[in-house]
Amino acid sequence: MKLLKYKFYILPTLTLFFGIIFFLSFWPDKNSEKGIKTAILNPKYENQIDSIVLSKNGKELKLFKENNIWKGSVSPSCDKESKDFSEKKEAVFPVEQKLVKNLIEKLKKVRILYKNSDKLTMFQPFSLDDSSSFLVSYSGKNCPSASIFFGKQDFSKKMIYMRMNEKPSVFKAEDDFSAFLNNDSGFWIDPYIIPRNITEPAKKIEIQKVSFISKGMRKNIIPNTEKAQASIEKFQELRHGSVYTEVLPQKFIGTLQIESDELSKFSMDFYERNEQDIVIFYNLDSFYYGTLVSNWTYSKILELFENS
């Protein structure tokens, strides 16, 4: 009888015991949860940074600051003997100022870094080796330079693996970087045909006159009527595509001239690339770059001159 009584208690006791063990298996290990509370970029150097390089697999994009305005540059892909891009080694284009500022905000944010490994052999499993990682480097005249290698996300997709300055330690941190790990110029470039990120602060420029010159003919839009003003406002909303760094096409179409108080006068040359695309090459102070627009966008530009 007593034996049956003990058996009656043994099963619930074992169930409770294993239940506690199971529960404790999910309890965080204090040692594994220890982290370093720090910022990748010391906030006191935030305004000292004047160069950021984004690179992966040999493809590099540079962001640099001149006269308090961030610009981008990429190497041309045309033949060095070409007259089009041979005078300057890199295409220089305006970038979205807010994107660069947001990236710097992420770098200076105080966060917890959890150490995963101190072994060089662990770089590849975390996609932190040279061939797999995304490298963000920054520097400045009065700012210590740094290199941050970003690898893959963890299983939660909320954390990302990283290492810094050629050191062997692998860390894991909150992933609010991925949106900026992009070395495609199309992501960073000012997207508007009439750029807005060429002044500080970035804004639409006040246009006095827009002219299109083609085959000896000139058409103008002067904002002295509501209709003409509406045309200029529509023009300022039109966007282009990616940066174009190849040899300029041979078929020249015409020149667009912009007159404004902020920038005096600047021009854009239009070239026909093929049946789908038009190349716009900008002649704008310290910028030297081309972009692609569709034939549809080009036709919209022509319509604005016809209807004003």
Side-chain angles (χ1 to χ4, degrees), residues 45-175:
Y45 296 122
E46 173 186 4
N47 296 319
Q48 306 303 321
I49 293 179
D50 56 23
S51 176
I52 300 173
V53 179
L54 308 167
S55 59
K56 184 173 183 178
N57 293 333
K59 181 181 177 181
E60 184 176 276
L61 182 142
K62 298 177 183 177
L63 302 171
F64 63 97
K65 187 164 62 174
E66 282 185 347
N67 300 320
N68 211 33
I69 296 175
W70 283 97
K71 304 176 183 181
S73 67
V74 289
S75 299
S77 56
C78 64
D79 189 332
K80 290 184 179 180
E81 300 300 319
S82 167
K83 65 179 181 180
D84 298 311
F85 282 95
S86 59
E87 293 182 4
K88 295 188 178 183
K89 294 182 180 180
E90 298 176 321
V92 178
F93 55 91
V95 301
E96 287 244 52
Q97 302 299 296
K98 63 180 181 181
L99 286 178
V100 184
K101 291 174 182 177
N102 288 343
L103 171 58
I104 293 174
E105 284 291 324
K106 300 304 180 188
L107 292 174
K108 73 168 190 174
K109 175 181 174 181
V110 176
R111 63 183 70 244
I112 299 176
L113 302 183
Y114 299 98
K115 185 179 286 189
N116 275 75
S117 172
D118 278 321
K119 298 179 180 179
L120 293 173
T121 54
M122 293 303 293
F123 283 176
Q124 192 169 4
F126 295 112
S127 296
L128 285 171
D129 53 305
D130 291 340
S131 61
S132 303
S133 60
F134 191 102
L135 174 60
V136 178
S137 302
Y138 64 80
S139 60
K141 292 179 181 178
N142 302 307
C143 166
S145 59
S147 298
I148 308 97
F149 299 81
F150 291 93
K152 66 181 182 179
Q153 294 175 317
D154 73 348
F155 68 92
S156 72
K157 303 299 182 183
K158 295 180 180 179
M159 307 285 280
I160 191 169
Y161 294 103
M162 56 190 291
R163 61 184 176 95
M164 291 175 282
N165 298 329
E166 304 293 344
K167 294 182 180 179
S169 300
V170 174
F171 293 94
K172 184 168 68 169
E174 175 192 359
D175 184 15

Side-chain angles (χ1 to χ4, degrees), residues 2-272:
K2 288 184 179 181
L3 184 60
L4 290 174
K5 185 177 180 180
Y6 289 137
K7 286 184 178 179
F8 178 78
Y9 287 108
I10 288 174
L11 184 59
T13 301
L14 288 175
T15 302
L16 179 62
F17 173 77
F18 287 115
I20 292 172
I21 296 297
F22 179 76
F23 175 77
L24 290 176
S25 69
F26 290 95
W27 195 263
D29 180 357
K30 289 184 179 180
N31 293 326
S32 66
E33 290 298 312
K34 283 184 179 180
I36 304 169
K37 193 173 184 180
T38 185
I40 295 171
L41 166 68
N42 189 323
K44 73 178 183 180
Y45 296 122
E46 173 186 4
N47 296 319
Q48 306 303 321
I49 293 179
D50 56 23
S51 176
I52 300 173
V53 179
L54 308 167
S55 59
K56 184 173 183 178
N57 293 333
K59 181 181 177 181
E60 184 176 276
L61 182 142
K62 298 177 183 177
L63 302 171
F64 63 97
K65 187 164 62 174
E66 282 185 347
N67 300 320
N68 211 33
I69 296 175
W70 283 97
K71 304 176 183 181
S73 67
V74 289
S75 299
S77 56
C78 64
D79 189 332
K80 290 184 179 180
E81 300 300 319
S82 167
K83 65 179 181 180
D84 298 311
F85 282 95
S86 59
E87 293 182 4
K88 295 188 178 183
K89 294 182 180 180
E90 298 176 321
V92 178
F93 55 91
V95 301
E96 287 244 52
Q97 302 299 296
K98 63 180 181 181
L99 286 178
V100 184
K101 291 174 182 177
N102 288 343
L103 171 58
I104 293 174
E105 284 291 324
K106 300 304 180 188
L107 292 174
K108 73 168 190 174
K109 175 181 174 181
V110 176
R111 63 183 70 244
I112 299 176
L113 302 183
Y114 299 98
K115 185 179 286 189
N116 275 75
S117 172
D118 278 321
K119 298 179 180 179
L120 293 173
T121 54
M122 293 303 293
F123 283 176
Q124 192 169 4
F126 295 112
S127 296
L128 285 171
D129 53 305
D130 291 340
S131 61
S132 303
S133 60
F134 191 102
L135 174 60
V136 178
S137 302
Y138 64 80
S139 60
K141 292 179 181 178
N142 302 307
C143 166
S145 59
S147 298
I148 308 97
F149 299 81
F150 291 93
K152 66 181 182 179
Q153 294 175 317
D154 73 348
F155 68 92
S156 72
K157 303 299 182 183
K158 295 180 180 179
M159 307 285 280
I160 191 169
Y161 294 103
M162 56 190 291
R163 61 184 176 95
M164 291 175 282
N165 298 329
E166 304 293 344
K167 294 182 180 179
S169 300
V170 174
F171 293 94
K172 184 168 68 169
E174 175 192 359
D175 184 15
D176 50 3
F177 295 103
S178 287
F180 302 97
L181 303 183
N182 195 322
N183 57 352
D184 184 349
S185 58
F187 174 80
W188 297 93
I189 190 172
D190 181 313
Y192 297 97
I193 290 178
I194 301 178
R196 301 179 183 181
N197 291 267
I198 50 181
T199 61
E200 176 57 34
K203 62 177 182 178
K204 290 183 183 180
I205 62 174
E206 295 294 327
I207 294 175
Q208 277 84 50
K209 184 179 180 180
V210 182
S211 303
F212 189 71
I213 306 159
S214 180
K215 299 179 181 178
M217 300 291 290
R218 176 188 289 265
K219 294 181 180 181
N220 302 317
I221 304 177
I222 301 172
N224 53 6
T225 66
E226 288 186 10
K227 189 175 182 180
Q229 182 62 44
S231 292
I232 284 182
E233 289 176 1
K234 289 178 182 178
F235 198 171
Q236 289 185 306
E237 296 302 320
L238 292 176
R239 301 184 177 218
H240 57 65
S242 59
V243 176
Y244 182 84
T245 57
E246 300 172 17
V247 177
L248 289 175
Q250 296 296 314
K251 191 171 182 180
F252 173 74
I253 301 175
T255 298
L256 187 75
Q257 291 182 345
I258 309 288
E259 295 182 28
S260 72
D261 285 337
E262 296 102 322
L263 301 168
S264 185
K265 180 189 289 186
F266 69 92
S267 63
M268 313 172 202
D269 294 328
F270 287 68
Y271 298 83
E272 184 178 307

